[in-house]
């Protein structure tokens, strides 16, 4: 078996690292918005306005408990994605191998959980 080809010493690893950094910044912003909606709901005691044109019929659904679960799920997903990014950036710097499939599965799971918790927080936070 021949040895794998050496990685091109160009700027691709640096560009990839920068794009992951921008992605993590967006994930942190999403987390902060979810945590903010939870904090607002908790400070109001879970009270939401009666059903009207702006509430889409979700009156009473925005309890702090549900938004707290969304906030916790979003935070866990972001931590998992941060760990995946750290591993992948280290791999990009030091090897030319493809990422392991488990890393890609964890990343995909983190993105799905974060997306679902964001959608749920928006739906509950009306």
């Amino acid at each position: 078996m021949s040895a794998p080809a050496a990685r091109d010493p160009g700027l691709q690893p640096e560009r990839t690292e920068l794009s992951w950094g921008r992605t993590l910044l967006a994930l942190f912003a999403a987390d902060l918005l979810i945590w903010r909606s939870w904090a607002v709901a908790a400070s109001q005691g879970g009270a939401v306005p009666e059903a009207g044109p702006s509430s889409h019929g979700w009156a009473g659904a925005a309890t702090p408990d549900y938004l707290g679960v969304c906030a916790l799920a979003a935070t866990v997903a972001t931590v998992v994605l941060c760990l995946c990014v750290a591993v992948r950036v280290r791999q990009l710097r030091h090897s030319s191998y493809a990422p392991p499939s488990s890393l890609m599965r964890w990343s995909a799971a983190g993105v799905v959980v974060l997306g679902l918790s964001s959608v749920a927080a928006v739906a509950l936070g009306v």
Side-chain angles (χ1 to χ4, degrees):
M1 236 182 175
S2 64
R7 181 177 291 284
D8 179 19
L11 296 177
Q12 186 222 354
E14 291 177 21
R15 286 192 311 262
T16 302
E17 185 176 349
L18 289 172
S19 68
W20 274 113
R22 288 188 301 269
T23 302
L24 287 176
L25 183 63
L27 295 178
F28 288 134
D31 281 351
L32 289 176
L33 291 174
I34 293 170
W35 278 92
R36 181 183 173 274
S37 67
W38 175 61
V40 168
S43 69
Q44 294 175 352
V48 293
E50 291 299 318
S54 64
S55 68
H56 306 291
W58 286 86
T63 62
D65 296 338
Y66 293 129
L67 286 171
V69 170
C70 291
L72 181 64
T75 302
V76 169
T78 302
V79 168
V80 167
L81 287 169
C82 284
L83 292 173
C84 291
V85 167
V87 168
R88 186 61 188 142
V89 166
R90 189 180 68 222
Q91 286 176 340
L92 280 173
R93 288 183 186 162
H94 302 294
S95 73
S96 61
Y97 299 110
S101 61
S102 62
L103 182 69
M104 296 295 102
R105 277 181 274 180
W106 279 105
S107 297
V111 168
V112 167
V113 168
L114 184 61
L116 290 175
S117 63
S118 298
V119 168
V122 168
L124 292 171
V126 289

